[in-house]
Amino acid sequence: MNTDTETDQPASAAPLSTAVILAAGRGTRMKSERPKVMHPLAGQPMLRYLIDNAAEVFDRIIVVAGPGMDDVAALAAPHTVVVQHDRLGTGHAARQAEATFGTGDVAVLYGDNPLITPGTMRALLAQRRSDDTGLALLAMEPADPARYGRVVTRDGLVQRIVEWADATPAERAIGLCNAGVLCAAAADFRRWLAEIDNDNAQGEYYLGDVVARAAAEGRSVRAVVAPEDELRGINSRAELAQAEACVQARLRLAAMAGGTTLVAPDTVFLCADTVFEPDTVVHPHVVFGPGVHVRRGTEIHAFSHIEGATVGPDAQIGPYARLRPGTDVGQGARVGNFVELKATTLGAGAKANHLTYLGNTTVGAKANIGAGTITCNYDGVFKHRTEIGAESFIGSDSVLVAPVRLGKGVITAAGSVITHDVPDDALAVGRARQANKAGYARAFRQRLKNRKEQG
């Protein structure tokens, strides 16, 4: 775990701005052993969003984690991580990072408020750097203020933050709510943090009490109001679902703005790293897992699931197709209904149109995979590869037992079990010889009827 506290910089350099991200929360209301900030949104931990966005605005990032949160520290790398050994409130958490503040402006953010955009962070920093602002904070006006802390103002200036548990009925009626994010000069922040106490209903050190300290000194405290969707906190599974909806809406809009047609946007679920090239079309009820790149001109039909795959260009996928990690679908290839590919390369113009499983397989260009074909790639211990040459025709219900190689232009007879390599342009037949027994079916049915009559 990186606990570097070095703050020295050349005397001639401008003071560095610092974002301190509080990420020590255990997520009790999540009812999970996983740290709250590691719960995923659109396929990546919520903390990842805040770190990436803050990195666009601030010179340095410090993450405050709880003891034993090695996964949080690993995600934060290479940024500095400090540990809050005793969870005594948000003010106490910010104190753990004091030695890393440096001499520039410091913003304290929350790992469970992951959707703050770089634009809002820049607005906060700009407000702090305006002539008369000693402390800037982020606030919102949610449709349902619920249990958010309230921002008490007078004549346009913030006087204090009152937590819901400590608020009077009149204070709870205030619509302007605290998002918890504060920004001040490092020296001021250190002084105000040292002055706050835990004389409140929870017996904790609230970061919001810094606001009252700044106002008591006669410093101007101003709020930057941002959209609720950016500032919503995530403390429960229900709030995680609400945040997921916000992220999905952003991702869908970005995809459409980039040239992708989403036929029914609200039914398509994306990952944060999903990449679409222009002129792609996605039909209803498609789910994208991590690591998907869809190339130009590809069409994804309804009820398909794609993860860890590169698709196209000009490919046709689905409906009801599943592409698993390691899959690469070539130009103009087709993957049809109830076809599953895993760690498979489907060459340009190749087709697997119906009821097929191809695992650890390479399929050459323009090959045709018949309905019901499967590759037996796993022996219970090891995975084995199957190679199917270009322009081969694999008959329906073929079973290809890996490791096996089929050359170029091969044909397998329907219903064959292929266990040995097949040379180029050969016909492979791997099934029992058919024998017809005249009249046997009639006699067999009569025997069954006799047995039934005899009970």
Side-chain angles (χ1 to χ4, degrees), residues 291-295 306-312 323-324 326-330 344:
V292 176
H293 188 137
V294 182
R295 299 196 182 278
I306 303 175
E307 179 179 0
T310 299
V311 188
L323 306 185
R324 293 171 61 192
T327 293
D328 189 340
V329 178
T344 289

Side-chain angles (χ1 to χ4, degrees), residues 282-317:
V282 181
H283 290 270
H285 303 290
V286 176
V287 176
F288 294 90
V292 176
H293 188 137
V294 182
R295 299 196 182 278
R296 184 181 294 271
T298 288
E299 189 168 9
I300 313 293
H301 294 275
F303 296 100
S304 295
H305 188 285
I306 303 175
E307 179 179 0
T310 299
V311 188
D314 300 317
Q316 293 285 323
I317 307 298

Side-chain angles (χ1 to χ4, degrees), residues 228-362:
E228 179 184 2
D229 283 349
E230 287 191 35
L231 303 184
R232 64 171 69 247
I234 301 174
N235 295 292
S236 66
R237 303 282 182 166
E239 290 172 348
L240 183 68
Q242 293 168 353
E244 179 74 28
C246 293
V247 173
Q248 290 296 331
R250 291 184 190 181
L251 294 173
R252 293 165 187 149
L253 288 173
M256 291 185 285
T260 292
T261 295
L262 303 182
V263 175
D266 288 349
T267 71
V268 175
F269 289 85
L270 307 175
C271 261
D273 64 351
T274 304
V275 176
F276 294 110
E277 294 183 5
D279 292 322
T280 52
V281 178
V282 181
H283 290 270
H285 303 290
V286 176
V287 176
F288 294 90
V292 176
H293 188 137
V294 182
R295 299 196 182 278
R296 184 181 294 271
T298 288
E299 189 168 9
I300 313 293
H301 294 275
F303 296 100
S304 295
H305 188 285
I306 303 175
E307 179 179 0
T310 299
V311 188
D314 300 317
Q316 293 285 323
I317 307 298
Y320 294 98
R322 184 181 182 195
L323 306 185
R324 293 171 61 192
T327 293
D328 189 340
V329 178
Q331 182 170 9
R334 299 177 63 91
V335 178
N337 47 290
F338 303 105
V339 173
E340 179 179 352
L341 307 184
K342 185 260 182 186
T344 289
T345 298
L346 196 64
K351 300 176 182 178
N353 276 330
H354 320 280
L355 303 161
T356 289
Y357 170 72
L358 301 176
N360 298 90
T361 302
T362 300

Side-chain angles (χ1 to χ4, degrees), residues 29 87-90 147 162-167 172 197-207 209:
R29 289 168 57 192
R87 293 178 173 89
L88 302 177
T90 54
R147 299 177 68 90
V162 58
E163 297 298 325
W164 187 91
D166 301 307
R172 291 180 181 179
D197 56 42
N198 63 345
D199 184 18
N200 52 63
Q202 301 298 319
E204 295 184 350
Y205 297 90
Y206 292 144
L207 182 63
D209 289 349

Side-chain angles (χ1 to χ4, degrees), residues 401-433:
V401 182
V404 67
R405 181 184 182 278
L406 285 66
K408 180 179 179 181
V410 163
I411 296 176
T412 67
S416 291
V417 178
I418 306 300
T419 58
H420 296 88
D421 291 354
V422 182
D424 293 353
D425 296 315
L427 168 66
V429 182
R431 61 191 181 199
R433 184 180 297 275

Side-chain angles (χ1 to χ4, degrees), residues 351-396:
K351 300 176 182 178
N353 276 330
H354 320 280
L355 303 161
T356 289
Y357 170 72
L358 301 176
N360 298 90
T361 302
T362 300
V363 180
K366 298 182 180 178
N368 187 88
I369 311 299
T373 294
I374 64 170
T375 58
C376 299
N377 59 316
Y378 184 49
D379 62 10
V381 178
F382 299 106
K383 298 290 181 71
H384 302 280
R385 290 203 68 80
T386 298
E387 296 183 27
I388 301 171
E391 301 178 14
S392 290
F393 187 96
I394 308 303
S396 295

